[in-house]
Amino acid sequence: MKFIKLSAISAAILASTAALAAEPVIVVDEADAVVYEAEPVAVAYEAEPVAVAYQAEPAYAYNADAGIVRNTTGAVFGGTKTFFQTAVNPAAVSAEVGTLGYGANIAWAMNEKTELQAGWAGGDVADLFGGDFDADDVNYDVDADFSNPYLGVQYRPAANWFTMGAGIIVPDNDIDVTANAEGPNFRIDNVDYLASDVGALEGTIEHRNKLAPYGTIGFRPNIGNNWGVFGEIGAAYMGKTDATVRSSNPDRIVATETVDGALLNVTGKDVANKAEQELEDKDWLEWFPIVKLGATYRF
C-alpha cells in the first residue's frame, strides 16, 4: 500500500513536469504500467493597471518658524526648477522706508535660512537726518535726491525672526547743501566774513565709493501665512566725500589777509573754497547709517 502511495506521488510530480512539455508520461511499478497524459496548463496573468501618484514637493513651502519659504539650492540649480523659473517666481516682495530712502525689494529663497534680495531705495530723505548738519562753525541745510539700488543676502542663523544682512549698494545720491550765516557772518576757518559780501554759499557733496558694502542686523517676524514686518539697523561704507561750494559773489573782495608777510585780497570764491575744504574734512556720512522699516508679502 505504501508503495502505491509513493507511486501516486511520483506520478503527480511527473505529471506536473509533463504539463510543461505536453508529452505523455509513463509510470511503471512492479504491479502495473500506467500511462499519464499531461494536459497542457495555460496560466494567464492579467496585470491590473497600477496607478502611481507622485506628489511633487512644492518648490516653495511656507515655514512658519523661520518666516521664509523653503527653496533648496538643488531645486534652483540643476534640479527640477531652472534658474529662469526661479527668477520669475520670487519668494517675497517688500516695501520699505528708511535712511536710504523709500523703496522696495524682491527676494528669492535659497534655503530655509537664506534669501537673496534685489532692491532700490531713494527719494528725498534729508528730513530723516534733521535736514541740516554742522561742518566746523558753519551750519548747512541739506536737500537730497537719493538713488540706491542694492543686492544683498538675508541670513537667519537660528532659523527664526532674527536676521543678519550683507550686500552691495550702488549709490547715486545727489546731496545739495546751503550754508546758513550765523548772524551777519559766515565763520570759516576761524575767520568771520560778512555774509552780505560773500553772498550765498551753495554746493554739493558726493561720496567717492561707486560700490558701497553694507551690513545690518534686524528682525522679521510673521503676522500671518503671507504677511510679515521687518526692521533693520546697520551701516554702509560710502567713503570720503568730494565737495563743491560756490559763492553767489565770487569776484567780490570780502576781506584782506596777510599771508607770508604779504597782504592779499580775499574774494567770495576764496571763501567758498575754504568752506569746500571744511566739508571734505568733515567726511559727512562716510559711514552711512542704515535704518529701515517695512512690510513683506510672501508667496
Side-chain angles (χ1 to χ4, degrees):
M1 188 69 177
K2 183 176 180 180
F3 180 77
I4 294 174
K5 289 182 179 180
L6 291 174
S7 299
I9 293 171
S10 300
I13 295 172
L14 291 173
S16 300
T17 305
L20 299 176
E23 292 292 334
V25 177
I26 300 175
V27 179
V28 179
D29 60 27
E30 292 180 359
D32 299 296
V34 182
V35 178
Y36 298 90
E37 183 169 351
E39 293 291 332
V41 179
V43 180
Y45 296 91
E46 182 177 353
E48 291 292 331
V50 179
V52 180
Y54 295 93
Q55 182 174 358
E57 288 294 325
Y60 298 95
Y62 181 72
N63 185 328
D65 294 326
I68 63 174
V69 294
R70 181 174 290 112
N71 181 9
T72 65
T73 305
V76 176
F77 301 103
T80 56
K81 289 177 66 63
T82 65
F83 183 80
F84 176 77
Q85 288 172 319
T86 301
V88 299
N89 290 279
V93 294
S94 300
E96 64 182 59
V97 58
T99 53
L100 290 174
Y102 309 89
N105 67 63
I106 303 175
W108 295 267
M110 308 309 292
N111 54 48
E112 65 272 14
K113 292 185 179 181
T114 310
E115 283 184 331
L116 177 67
Q117 288 184 336
W120 177 90
D124 185 359
V125 295
D127 289 341
L128 295 175
F129 302 101
D132 68 315
F133 72 98
D134 293 329
D136 288 343
D137 295 322
V138 182
N139 177 263
Y140 290 89
D141 287 332
V142 180
D143 184 20
D145 184 13
F146 281 8
S147 177
N148 291 295
Y150 62 88
L151 181 66
V153 174
Q154 284 288 332
Y155 179 63
R156 298 171 184 259
N160 59 12
W161 54 265
F162 175 72
T163 62
M164 301 173 64
I168 292 292
I169 300 171
V170 187
D172 184 15
N173 300 323
D174 295 328
I175 304 171
D176 298 326
V177 295
T178 301
N180 295 313
E182 183 177 351
N185 299 323
F186 289 117
R187 186 171 183 80
I188 299 174
D189 196 19
N190 296 319
V191 178
D192 290 327
Y193 301 98
L194 194 62
S196 58
D197 291 338
V198 174
L201 291 177
E202 298 177 335
T204 61
I205 296 175
E206 182 180 2
H207 290 99
R208 296 176 184 176
N209 283 7
K210 302 307 179 184
L211 294 175
Y214 74 85
T216 62
I217 59 173
F219 64 95
R220 289 177 175 263
N222 302 314
I223 58 175
N225 286 336
N226 297 103
W227 289 96
V229 294
F230 67 89
E232 293 178 42
I233 59 172
Y237 184 67
M238 296 288 188
K240 295 184 179 297
T241 57
D242 290 324
T244 300
V245 179
R246 299 171 299 276
S247 167
S248 60
N249 297 325
D251 298 324
R252 179 175 293 183
I253 298 174
V254 299
T256 56
E257 295 179 356
T258 301
V259 179
D260 295 332
L263 194 63
L264 300 177
N265 292 329
V266 178
T267 65
K269 182 179 179 180
D270 295 327
V271 175
N273 289 339
K274 292 182 179 184
E276 185 176 291
Q277 186 61 51
E278 285 189 345
L279 280 175
E280 292 187 350
D281 291 342
K282 172 70 174 180
D283 281 333
W284 187 64
L285 298 181
E286 178 180 359
W287 284 94
F288 196 94
I290 295 176
V291 179
K292 64 171 70 175
L293 296 171
T296 296
Y297 181 83
R298 301 191 176 282
F299 299 103

